[in-house]
Amino acid sequence: MTSYDWRKWEAQLNSFSQYTQTISGIDLHYVHEPCANTDAVPLLLLHGWPGSYFEFYKLIPLLKASGRFHIVAPSLPGERVGGVAAPLLALMHCGARRNQMSSEAPPGGCD
């Protein structure tokens, strides 16, 4: 295959505003694309494994352009995006905490 243009896809990846944050010793990577509307709703786009935020590369610009959403699309914790991968135990803790949070939600949701 000689027609694959890596530089085209690299430019597409780099067209998004990307950030990293360290929380509890885990390097987290995310895309944050706020729209111009200050009253827009934050929208969290989550992907599965294996995968990446790039699954949303066509959707992110459309949602942002609508003026209705500020987009946040995190990478899975521990996935290497220029940082140190999280230890497996830390990832398991993140999963357990997320499960605990969802199971402690009040019946009928939150007000």
Side-chain angles (χ1 to χ4, degrees), residues 26 49 77-79 84-96:
I26 299 173
W49 185 90
E79 292 298 308
V84 176
L88 179 59
L89 189 57
L91 290 177
M92 292 170 57
H93 174 73
C94 289

Side-chain angles (χ1 to χ4, degrees), residues 10-32:
E10 180 183 38
Q12 182 69 46
L13 284 166
N14 290 330
S15 70
F16 298 118
S17 299
Q18 301 180 50
Y19 304 90
T20 57
Q21 181 72 38
T22 301
I23 299 174
S24 298
I26 299 173
D27 293 337
L28 300 175
H29 167 268
Y30 60 98
V31 167
H32 182 222

Side-chain angles (χ1 to χ4, degrees), residues 83-108:
V84 176
L88 179 59
L89 189 57
L91 290 177
M92 292 170 57
H93 174 73
C94 289
R97 182 67 184 126
R98 184 174 179 187
N99 185 50
Q100 179 184 5
M101 289 168 55
S102 64
S103 64
E104 292 175 0

